[in-house]
Amino acid sequence: MRRSVLLTSALITASIIFTARTVSAQTDCDKIRNLKLLNNSYQCKWSFYKLKDSLVGTVIKFHPQPIQCGPDASASLTILKVGEDTVRILDFCNDIVFKKGQKVKVNPQDEPPFQVSIPFYFDFLDELQRIVVSRTNEYDETIINTTWGELEPL
């Protein structure tokens, strides 16, 4: 019984994703193959950099990893205010939940050498023409600086 429910859920999810992808808006990122992050139509516009030293910042927005790490790789996504800058932090296999306004320390983390799922939802840009993009939050188009880091509460 449980196996059939899981299989049905998986098929419905795959159907929704396939349908949304086939009618989605073609963004620059949709045309690029082998993207490191799954499910974000704006990631090719992000400026990825390697964090060299730890930093401290304040959480503006936090999204927990979409699935538990295991056979599939997953990362949380945090928008962080660091001094005068605002950056996006991807934290591989992080199951800690952070709250808006919380102070955190970010330690350097290597980018995984394989695809990673990040939090997302489908957003209709034009409901009449069924133009759809996948996004994480309202900062996808405005916060460009992005890095991998391990977050820990202060």
Side-chain angles (χ1 to χ4, degrees), residues 43-148:
Q43 65 181 292
C44 64
K45 296 178 171 123
W46 297 348
S47 177
F48 286 86
Y49 69 97
K50 175 118 173 94
L51 191 61
K52 294 181 182 178
D53 296 312
S54 295
L55 54 89
V56 174
T58 304
V59 174
I60 294 175
K61 189 93 168 186
F62 174 78
H63 299 277
Q65 62 188 16
I67 55 175
Q68 288 286 15
C69 278
D72 296 318
S74 184
S76 65
L77 186 145
T78 305
I79 303 297
L80 196 68
K81 184 75 169 171
V82 181
E84 297 298 314
D85 295 326
T86 306
V87 297
R88 178 181 296 100
I89 308 291
L90 302 169
D91 189 354
F92 182 64
C93 287
N94 168 31
D95 59 358
I96 301 172
V97 174
F98 296 96
K99 303 220 181 287
K100 182 177 180 178
Q102 185 175 357
K103 295 278 188 195
V104 296
K105 180 179 179 183
V106 182
N107 297 308
Q109 185 179 62
D110 290 332
E111 177 182 335
F114 39 78
Q115 286 187 317
V116 176
S117 292
I118 61 171
F120 78 99
Y121 67 95
F122 291 113
D123 185 20
F124 280 91
L125 296 181
D126 184 334
E127 290 190 41
L128 293 176
Q129 295 181 17
R130 295 194 46 90
I131 298 173
V132 178
V133 294
S134 60
R135 64 170 65 243
T136 301
N137 59 41
E138 66 273 20
Y139 299 105
D140 286 343
E141 297 169 273
T142 57
I143 304 301
I144 304 303
N145 293 330
T146 304
T147 190
W148 290 88

